Amino acid sequence: MSYTLTVVVPVYNEEDNLLRVEQVFNDYFKIAAVPTQVLFVNDGSKDKSQELIEIICARSKGFEFISFAKNCGLSAAIKAGFDYTKTSLVGYIDSDLQTTPEDFNVLYPYIKDYDLVTGHRADRKDSFVKNMSSTIANKIRRAFTNDGMDDTGCPLKIIKTDYAQRIPMFRGLHRFLPAMIMLQNGKTVQVPIRHFPRIAGTAKFGLWNRLLGPLMDCFAYLWMKNKYINYEVAKKSDA
């Protein structure tokens, strides 16, 4: 089957969620706006995640995986997913399923006119502390990047693959995807999507790495922005 969209699903110790991911995506494949497949990226999980991933990929069509030799972090998992994508579009969703694959159908119509479409969790189902720390972190990031995004950490995105694969790698990358597309003179837009409470597994980010991490990463982004090389080929010789 020829696919149009590859959805990257980073996994780190999510054994309690993976069978639900399989079920939800098998349901979504039937209504997807375009032919869609899933690429699990196992970020060195220490539980039974890899065992479950291999079972899912063996029995369900449309699922593939790569597995890291050791834990490298969410940004590395997302970047690896982008690098291994072969379709023209690449998406991203967290394995905790606090967002739903169904909302890729909400994002998809916009990708014709934009190079990145990201969800905006307008009605987040998280704790007060988590919501407040994310709000503060987003304000800090916007002050540095001027990307105009209210919820850059939303784990539901569609990106044109050629743009995604040109994003340079650094820790904290997942917080700056819209800004990194804009560095390529790409167009970005945010679209309201649904959000749900986490019902299994544990969150991988706490108060301090939601606040201090983004602040430190902003300085890394500014350095990269000043050094970033962006060129456009106007003409080349015939092969």
Side-chain angles (χ1 to χ4, degrees):
M1 180 176 180
S2 179
Y3 296 104
T4 301
L5 171 66
T6 298
V7 176
V8 175
V9 182
V11 176
Y12 180 64
N13 295 343
E14 292 285 359
E15 63 181 7
D16 293 331
N17 281 312
L18 289 173
L19 295 181
R20 191 162 63 98
V21 171
E22 178 188 23
Q23 178 183 351
V24 168
F25 267 100
N26 276 329
D27 290 340
Y28 174 66
F29 292 156
K30 301 172 185 176
I31 62 168
V34 291
T36 300
Q37 64 178 350
V38 167
L39 175 61
F40 288 116
V41 182
N42 183 12
D43 182 23
S45 296
K46 297 176 174 62
D47 62 0
K48 295 182 179 179
S49 290
Q50 182 61 29
E51 178 182 340
L52 288 171
I53 286 171
E54 293 187 29
I55 290 173
I56 292 169
C57 291
R59 72 185 179 194
S60 289
K61 185 177 180 180
F63 290 85
E64 298 181 349
F65 77 88
I66 58 175
S67 182
F68 288 173
K70 62 179 182 179
N71 178 249
C72 297
L74 177 59
S75 294
I78 293 173
K79 183 63 168 66
F82 290 171
D83 290 344
Y84 277 81
T85 291
K86 298 177 182 179
T87 54
S88 61
L89 299 175
V90 59
Y92 159 52
I93 191 172
D94 278 349
S95 51
D96 60 17
L97 293 180
Q98 286 194 258
T99 54
T100 173
E102 291 180 6
D103 283 346
F104 280 119
N105 287 0
V106 176
L107 303 187
Y108 176 73
Y110 294 87
I111 201 64
K112 297 176 183 178
D113 299 315
Y114 295 90
D115 304 300
L116 174 146
V117 186
T118 182
H120 174 212
R121 299 165 290 183
D123 185 21
R124 289 187 64 170
K125 306 298 184 182
D126 286 323
S127 68
F128 173 80
V129 172
K130 186 173 181 179
N131 285 337
M132 183 57 64
S133 60
S134 293
T135 297
I136 295 171
N138 273 308
K139 288 182 178 179
I140 293 171
R141 177 195 42 72
R142 275 200 308 271
F144 278 80
T145 64
N146 293 314
D147 61 11
M149 298 288 122
D150 296 310
D151 186 18
T152 188
C154 177
L156 196 80
K157 293 177 171 65
I158 297 179
I159 312 173
K160 290 177 180 173
T161 301
D162 55 343
Y163 279 83
Q165 292 179 340
R166 287 196 296 265
I167 296 175
M169 181 63 167
F170 69 93
R171 293 184 184 276
L173 167 79
H174 60 281
R175 302 182 179 102
F176 292 86
L177 293 178
M180 299 309 296
I181 298 300
M182 292 171 66
L183 279 184
Q184 302 178 47
N185 297 321
K187 297 169 62 179
T188 66
V189 66
Q190 59 183 358
V191 179
I193 53 98
R194 293 170 289 173
H195 189 246
F196 306 91
R198 176 187 269 270
I199 64 173
T202 57
K204 306 304 186 292
F205 292 91
L207 175 62
W208 292 111
N209 56 19
R210 282 197 185 91
L211 293 177
L212 294 182
L215 178 60
M216 296 173 64
D217 293 339
C218 281
F219 290 104
Y221 166 79
L222 287 182
W223 179 89
M224 182 174 294
K225 181 179 180 181
N226 290 331
K227 302 291 184 179
Y228 189 75
I229 295 173
N230 194 18
Y231 66 88
E232 181 180 354
V233 175
K235 195 174 183 179
K236 65 178 181 178
S237 61
D238 295 330

